[in-house]
Amino acid sequence: MDWPSYFLPYDFSPLTVIAYVAVLALYVIALARLPSVEKPGVLRISAFLIGLGLCYAVMQTRFDYYSQYMFFVHRGQHLILHHLGPILIAVSNPLPVFRYWHSRSPDGLLSLLAPLGYVYRFLQQPAIAAFLFVGLIYFWLWPAMHFDAMLSRDLYWVMNWSMLLDGLLFWWLMLDPRSPAAKVALGYGKRILILALVAVPQIILGAYIVFARGAVYDVYEVCGRAWPIAPETDQLLGGLLTWIPPAMMSILGMFLILRRLMNQDKKPQPNHNPQHSSLAN
Amino acid sequence: MFMSPGKFTQYLKISLLILISVITIGCTQDEHEWNGKNITGVMPDLEFELVNTDSKPVTAEDFAGQVRLMFFGFTSCPDICPATLSYLQKAIKQMPEELQEDVTVLFVSVDPDRDTPEKMQQYTGFFGDNIAGLVAEEKPLRELAKRYRTTFGYGKPDSSGHYDVSHSNAIYVFDTEGKVRLLLRSELTSEQVTEDLTALAASG
């Protein structure tokens, strides 16, 4: 296979490509037009672009092929869609971009999007967000469900998109740069508690997969693997990727929140100063 | 930022109502009790352009009216392929005699470098007359495998040139109209497979 083919989609999804291009275009246009005081720094822009690029790469390059036919690569794909990509996008603090487009949207469009706002606020209830975050991992890794998701093309796309969207919602709730003093963001203590709570079930699930004696996910036997590898090795690596990196991401999230909390204590901020993100501090 | 308890309860009720409706609809669908996994509608209908053991091009239409069992493998396979073909033959021979001729096994080789039509003829002939050995170049094979969400891969050749091939161990079952119906997995007994094939052949 020639190397440019590795960058082409294995299973081309026009909707996915359009969604990513639209997000990128909206970001870049807003960035160019934002006043210099609101313009994010290089680090924040890089975090956003790397986060977006990683999520695109695992969905629309050859990586997706290996994710479909190797359990451990699939776990790597979800690690990026549910954790790493959304974390990078959240710490990049795209609020100025949101505000830019919000201020330029016609009233008709805003009222049309109002129901989405209700859904968003419902999903961002702390208990619901935490339950969804862990629940989705368990749901898609339930062996019978996982079997169906890997077998059905439609379900496979639903799985990947649901992981990405939930990852964005959850990590935005955790890393929202706005101060809880402004009553629009979740308190720092609650955020740390949620991050600790969601890590535990992920560790348990990862450990279960690692120490399972038989094959937990036989769909990879049924569909075949991308290259000859012992099924136990594939499962072991996949279990480790479910266990260790997500737990580390929770700890990383806690550090970011603690750092923000300590910085806030050092220099009290006005009630509403959304420009400051963790990376900008 | 957070909604009032009243609104929250209202949303919860609506969500539960939707969930219950979905479950009820799912449970009331009339389905035959299959032993294999029912994949009706999950995958596309049978469609391929391959080469048979007489080196002639064949399509799914050439086997129209038959219950077709598609299996991806290779003739140098040490375990899964011979075991699966024997197991399928046993299941077919247990069917009522008048229905046995309505079933064809499509054995698709994923090892085009080693599996020539002649070799396939010899190999499939060993197991029975109702097995069609099918070959193709790697590219159309990859397209067919992708269509049925399966794959295959090759290991590095050893000093004698032998290499391992990873492939699916599933058997895709298509009805007489070429619609995808079942996925048979190795944990099923041959009697269970016989039951499913008989039901499909009889309804066709």
Side-chain angles (χ1 to χ4, degrees), chain A residues 117-118 120-129 173-174 176 178 180 182-187 190-191 194, chain B residues 1-8 11:
Chain A
Y118 292 123
Y120 171 78
R121 280 185 283 279
F122 174 70
L123 295 177
Q124 292 300 70
Q125 305 284 325
I128 292 170
L173 183 69
M174 293 298 104
D176 189 337
R178 291 168 294 187
K183 303 277 183 200
V184 286
L186 194 63
K190 281 183 189 166
R191 297 189 202 192
I194 289 173
Chain B
M1 178 180 180
F2 306 114
M3 67 176 69
S4 67
K7 261 191 177 172
F8 175 73
Y11 276 109

Side-chain angles (χ1 to χ4, degrees), chain A residues 191-211:
Chain A
R191 297 189 202 192
I192 291 172
L193 183 68
I194 289 173
L195 282 174
L197 285 176
V198 299
V200 178
Q202 292 182 82
I203 291 170
I204 293 171
L205 181 60
Y208 169 75
I209 297 169
V210 166
F211 295 116

Side-chain angles (χ1 to χ4, degrees), chain A residues 10 65 68-69 118 121-122 125 128 147-148 150-152 156 184 218 221-223 225-228, chain B residues 1-3 7-8 11 37 39 42-43 142 146 149-151 153-155 166-170 183 185:
Chain A
Y10 170 65
Y65 165 73
Q68 289 188 31
Y69 300 110
Y118 292 123
R121 280 185 283 279
F122 174 70
Q125 305 284 325
I128 292 170
F147 191 95
D148 288 357
M150 300 312 280
L151 217 59
S152 158
Y156 179 77
V184 286
D218 60 348
E221 296 292 316
V222 170
C223 291
R225 287 186 163 82
W227 68 83
Chain B
M1 178 180 180
F2 306 114
M3 67 176 69
K7 261 191 177 172
F8 175 73
Y11 276 109
K37 186 170 175 60
I39 53 167
V42 172
M43 286 182 181
R142 292 266 172 216
K146 186 177 174 183
R149 296 192 71 76
T150 181
T151 192
Y154 305 112
S166 62
H167 64 95
S168 155
N169 68 8
L183 189 81
R185 291 147 86 179

